[in-house]
Amino acid sequence: MTGGGIPGQASRRTESPQPGAWHLEAACRRDEAGLFFAPSKEPTAARLSREESAKRVCGRCPVLLDCREHALSQPEPYGVWGGLTAAERRVLLSRRRRRRASEVHAAAG
């Protein structure tokens, strides 16, 4: 999206024309930004529907993995990025932290 980057499941990763320019190839560049970010006081049913629509766009995105890694490394606190909601990204980040801690512990012991 506009601002910090572009949110966007594709099976391939494409090379960007320049480092950090993955967002130029994002499928969501052609879609309404409001699809990826919640309006204030959005009802739950509307949010779930909007997020599923955004994820469908992500599903055809050639730079899904770049987008997802961007959102996880920032971390992006709002919106659908890389086919994941903010809550899904928090869960993934938590799992990654636990896995790393476990690997460090195993290597030390």
Side-chain angles (χ1 to χ4, degrees), residues 18-35:
Q18 54 185 301
W22 58 266
H23 60 278
L24 297 175
E25 298 178 48
C28 60
R29 288 183 64 85
R30 297 173 291 282
D31 289 288
E32 177 62 40
L35 187 60

Side-chain angles (χ1 to χ4, degrees), residues 9-51:
Q9 179 156 88
S11 60
R12 68 180 182 90
R13 235 178 127 131
T14 61
E15 293 299 319
S16 297
Q18 54 185 301
W22 58 266
H23 60 278
L24 297 175
E25 298 178 48
C28 60
R29 288 183 64 85
R30 297 173 291 282
D31 289 288
E32 177 62 40
L35 187 60
F36 296 90
F37 296 95
S40 62
K41 299 182 183 179
E42 181 179 34
T44 300
R47 177 183 53 81
L48 293 173
S49 177
R50 179 188 49 73
E51 288 173 346

Side-chain angles (χ1 to χ4, degrees), residues 1 7 12 67 102:
M1 298 309 7
R12 68 180 182 90
C67 179
S102 180

Side-chain angles (χ1 to χ4, degrees), residues 23 66 70 103 105:
H23 60 278
D66 293 305
H70 164 80
E103 290 168 357
H105 180 71

